[in-house]
Amino acid sequence: KLLENTSKIHLLKIDVDGREEYEAVFAGVTPVLHKVEILQIEMLEEEIGRHGMIWIMDTFLSHDFVMFGLEDVETFPGFQHDSLGRGCQEGDMPSTMHSEAVIDGEVEYEYGMNGPGKLRMFPICKCDGNVVGPGRGSKDPLACRAQFAFVKRDSDSAAKVTHLYGSCEAVCANVKSEL
Protein backbone atom coordinates (compact mmCIF):
# COMPACT_ATOMS: atom_id res chain seq x y z
CA LYS A 1 0.00 0.00 0.00
CA LEU A 2 2.92 2.33 0.64
CA LEU A 3 3.79 2.60 -3.07
CA GLU A 4 0.25 2.18 -4.39
CA ASN A 5 -0.07 5.75 -5.68
CA THR A 6 3.48 5.98 -7.02
CA SER A 7 3.59 5.75 -10.82
CA LYS A 8 7.32 4.98 -11.17
CA ILE A 9 10.00 3.73 -8.79
CA HIS A 10 13.40 4.62 -10.18
CA LEU A 11 15.47 2.56 -7.72
CA LEU A 12 14.44 -0.05 -5.17
CA LYS A 13 17.19 -1.42 -2.87
CA ILE A 14 16.84 -4.87 -1.31
CA ASP A 15 19.32 -6.02 1.32
CA VAL A 16 18.41 -9.09 3.36
CA ASP A 17 20.42 -12.09 4.48
CA GLY A 18 18.65 -15.43 4.02
CA ARG A 19 16.39 -17.28 1.62
CA GLU A 20 13.32 -16.90 3.87
CA GLU A 21 13.90 -13.15 4.12
CA TYR A 22 14.28 -12.86 0.33
CA GLU A 23 11.05 -14.80 -0.19
CA ALA A 24 9.18 -12.52 2.24
CA VAL A 25 10.53 -9.34 0.65
CA PHE A 26 9.85 -10.59 -2.90
CA ALA A 27 6.26 -11.42 -1.94
CA GLY A 28 5.87 -7.83 -0.75
CA VAL A 29 7.45 -6.16 -3.79
CA THR A 30 5.95 -8.36 -6.51
CA PRO A 31 2.78 -6.21 -6.80
CA VAL A 32 4.89 -3.10 -7.59
CA LEU A 33 7.59 -4.63 -9.82
CA HIS A 34 5.88 -3.27 -12.92
CA LYS A 35 6.66 0.24 -11.59
CA VAL A 36 10.33 -0.42 -10.81
CA GLU A 37 13.09 0.61 -13.25
CA ILE A 38 16.11 -0.66 -11.27
CA LEU A 39 16.38 -3.09 -8.35
CA GLN A 40 19.66 -3.10 -6.49
CA ILE A 41 20.17 -6.29 -4.54
CA GLU A 42 22.92 -7.47 -2.25
CA MET A 43 23.48 -11.22 -2.61
CA LEU A 44 26.25 -13.11 -0.88
CA GLU A 45 26.99 -16.66 -1.94
CA GLU A 46 28.02 -17.56 1.62
CA GLU A 47 24.54 -16.57 2.84
CA ILE A 48 22.27 -18.05 0.17
CA GLY A 49 24.54 -20.29 -1.91
CA ARG A 50 24.93 -20.32 -5.67
CA HIS A 51 21.51 -21.98 -6.08
CA GLY A 52 19.96 -19.11 -4.11
CA MET A 53 21.67 -16.56 -6.33
CA ILE A 54 20.44 -18.33 -9.48
CA TRP A 55 16.93 -18.50 -7.96
CA ILE A 56 16.99 -14.70 -7.45
CA MET A 57 18.35 -14.20 -10.96
CA ASP A 58 15.59 -16.38 -12.44
CA THR A 59 12.94 -14.67 -10.29
CA PHE A 60 13.70 -11.23 -11.71
CA LEU A 61 14.43 -12.42 -15.26
CA SER A 62 10.89 -13.87 -15.20
CA HIS A 63 9.58 -10.39 -14.30
CA ASP A 64 11.25 -8.90 -17.38
CA PHE A 65 14.41 -7.56 -15.77
CA VAL A 66 17.97 -7.94 -17.04
CA MET A 67 20.81 -8.54 -14.59
CA PHE A 68 24.02 -6.59 -14.10
CA GLY A 69 26.94 -7.00 -11.74
CA LEU A 70 28.42 -3.93 -10.03
CA GLU A 71 32.17 -3.55 -9.66
CA ASP A 72 34.90 -0.96 -9.18
CA VAL A 73 38.36 -1.97 -10.40
CA GLU A 74 39.74 1.57 -10.78
CA THR A 75 39.47 3.34 -7.41
CA PHE A 76 42.40 1.23 -6.17
CA PRO A 77 44.41 0.29 -9.30
CA GLY A 78 45.13 -3.44 -9.41
CA PHE A 79 42.36 -4.21 -6.90
CA GLN A 80 38.61 -4.60 -7.01
CA HIS A 81 36.67 -2.67 -4.37
CA ASP A 82 35.84 -5.07 -1.56
CA SER A 83 32.39 -3.61 -0.90
CA LEU A 84 31.24 -4.82 -4.35
CA GLY A 85 33.22 -8.03 -4.79
CA ARG A 86 36.39 -9.75 -3.76
CA GLY A 87 38.94 -12.10 -5.20
CA CYS A 88 38.10 -15.60 -4.07
CA GLN A 89 39.08 -17.82 -6.97
CA GLU A 90 42.40 -18.44 -8.63
CA GLY A 91 43.04 -15.73 -11.21
CA ASP A 92 40.67 -13.19 -9.63
CA MET A 93 41.86 -9.65 -9.04
CA PRO A 94 42.62 -9.15 -5.32
CA SER A 95 40.37 -6.79 -3.39
CA THR A 96 40.74 -4.03 -0.83
CA MET A 97 38.36 -1.79 1.06
CA HIS A 98 40.80 1.02 1.87
CA SER A 99 43.70 2.96 0.39
CA GLU A 100 47.27 1.92 1.21
CA ALA A 101 47.63 5.08 3.30
CA VAL A 102 44.73 4.01 5.53
CA ILE A 103 45.92 0.39 5.70
CA ASP A 104 49.46 1.50 6.60
CA GLY A 105 48.17 3.89 9.29
CA GLU A 106 49.53 6.98 7.51
CA VAL A 107 46.07 8.52 7.29
CA GLU A 108 43.25 8.18 9.80
CA TYR A 109 40.17 6.58 8.30
CA GLU A 110 37.06 8.74 8.04
CA TYR A 111 33.75 7.00 7.42
CA GLY A 112 33.00 6.77 3.69
CA MET A 113 36.34 8.13 2.50
CA ASN A 114 37.29 5.00 0.57
CA GLY A 115 33.92 4.12 -0.93
CA PRO A 116 33.68 2.91 -4.52
CA GLY A 117 34.46 5.86 -6.76
CA LYS A 118 34.43 4.36 -10.25
CA LEU A 119 31.45 2.05 -10.33
CA ARG A 120 30.75 0.12 -13.51
CA MET A 121 28.08 -2.36 -14.43
CA PHE A 122 28.41 -5.47 -16.57
CA PRO A 123 25.64 -7.70 -17.94
CA ILE A 124 25.18 -11.09 -16.31
CA CYS A 125 23.49 -13.43 -18.76
CA LYS A 126 22.31 -16.96 -19.31
CA CYS A 127 23.91 -18.09 -22.58
CA ASP A 128 23.02 -21.64 -23.59
CA GLY A 129 22.25 -22.44 -19.95
CA ASN A 130 25.52 -21.05 -18.57
CA VAL A 131 25.72 -17.92 -16.41
CA VAL A 132 28.33 -15.57 -17.90
CA GLY A 133 29.33 -11.94 -17.59
CA PRO A 134 32.32 -9.81 -18.60
CA GLY A 135 33.34 -8.60 -15.15
CA ARG A 136 36.95 -7.44 -14.83
CA GLY A 137 37.57 -8.52 -11.24
CA SER A 138 36.55 -12.17 -11.51
CA LYS A 139 35.92 -14.72 -14.24
CA ASP A 140 32.75 -15.90 -12.46
CA PRO A 141 30.03 -13.21 -12.52
CA LEU A 142 28.28 -14.51 -9.38
CA ALA A 143 30.95 -15.97 -7.10
CA CYS A 144 32.43 -13.52 -4.65
CA ARG A 145 30.26 -10.62 -5.79
CA ALA A 146 28.04 -8.68 -3.42
CA GLN A 147 26.05 -6.07 -5.35
CA PHE A 148 23.79 -6.58 -8.35
CA ALA A 149 21.31 -4.50 -10.32
CA PHE A 150 18.24 -5.74 -12.15
CA VAL A 151 17.09 -3.28 -14.80
CA LYS A 152 13.57 -3.43 -16.24
CA ARG A 153 13.80 -4.44 -19.88
CA ASP A 154 12.37 -1.81 -22.27
CA SER A 155 12.64 0.95 -19.65
CA ASP A 156 14.41 4.28 -20.16
CA SER A 157 17.01 3.07 -17.66
CA ALA A 158 17.65 -0.16 -19.61
CA ALA A 159 18.35 1.79 -22.80
CA LYS A 160 20.91 3.96 -20.98
CA VAL A 161 22.53 1.10 -19.07
CA THR A 162 22.89 -1.20 -22.08
CA HIS A 163 24.27 1.68 -24.15
CA LEU A 164 26.97 2.28 -21.51
CA TYR A 165 27.71 -1.28 -20.37
CA GLY A 166 26.48 -3.74 -22.99
CA SER A 167 23.71 -6.28 -23.34
CA CYS A 168 23.19 -10.01 -22.97
CA GLU A 169 22.73 -10.27 -26.70
CA ALA A 170 26.28 -8.99 -27.23
CA VAL A 171 27.69 -11.10 -24.38
CA CYS A 172 26.10 -14.32 -25.67
CA ALA A 173 27.19 -13.55 -29.25
CA ASN A 174 30.75 -13.09 -27.97
CA VAL A 175 30.59 -16.38 -26.03
CA LYS A 176 29.45 -18.22 -29.20
CA SER A 177 32.23 -16.62 -31.26
CA GLU A 178 34.85 -17.78 -28.71
CA LEU A 179 33.76 -21.41 -29.10
Side-chain angles (χ1 to χ4, degrees):
K1 290 188 175 212
L2 177 66
L3 301 171
E4 203 170 82
N5 296 322
T6 302
S7 62
K8 184 188 281 188
I9 302 165
H10 296 282
L11 176 66
L12 179 64
K13 170 81 166 124
I14 298 174
D15 185 351
V16 295
D17 294 331
R19 173 83 181 234
E20 287 181 14
E21 290 87 354
Y22 279 106
E23 289 174 0
V25 169
F26 294 171
V29 301
T30 298
V32 298
L33 283 180
H34 65 282
K35 299 178 181 187
V36 176
E37 291 234 345
I38 300 174
L39 284 163
Q40 183 188 352
I41 300 180
E42 180 180 89
M43 295 189 288
L44 301 174
E45 189 171 24
E46 60 265 19
E47 292 178 354
I48 59 173
R50 188 167 188 95
H51 291 292
M53 295 177 88
I54 300 241
W55 168 73
I56 291 170
M57 179 181 189
D58 289 342
T59 296
F60 290 108
L61 293 178
S62 74
H63 286 280
D64 211 25
F65 285 86
V66 291
M67 184 176 183
F68 290 83
L70 305 178
E71 70 179 357
D72 177 351
V73 296
E74 296 179 37
T75 294
F76 305 120
F79 294 88
Q80 55 182 315
H81 201 289
D82 198 64
S83 66
L84 302 172
R86 63 199 176 291
C88 71
Q89 297 179 349
E90 190 173 328
D92 285 356
M93 184 182 285
S95 61
T96 188
M97 184 79 81
H98 303 291
S99 68
E100 284 185 39
V102 169
I103 292 169
D104 294 342
E106 297 167 7
V107 174
E108 189 172 327
Y109 174 73
E110 293 178 30
Y111 181 77
M113 73 184 285
N114 292 148
K118 302 199 182 216
L119 191 69
R120 72 177 284 273
M121 298 171 75
F122 61 92
I124 299 177
C125 318
K126 281 195 168 179
C127 305
D128 295 327
N130 297 310
V131 177
V132 298
R136 295 180 189 161
S138 175
K139 294 175 196 145
D140 186 319
L142 295 179
C144 313
R145 300 248 173 246
Q147 299 293 332
F148 301 88
F150 290 85
V151 182
K152 188 71 161 181
R153 189 180 314 276
D154 300 326
S155 67
D156 292 338
S157 295
K160 293 173 186 171
V161 168
T162 56
H163 174 75
L164 289 171
Y165 301 110
S167 67
C168 282
E169 291 77 12
V171 168
C172 292
N174 189 44
V175 167
K176 286 181 183 178
S177 72
E178 290 176 357
L179 297 176

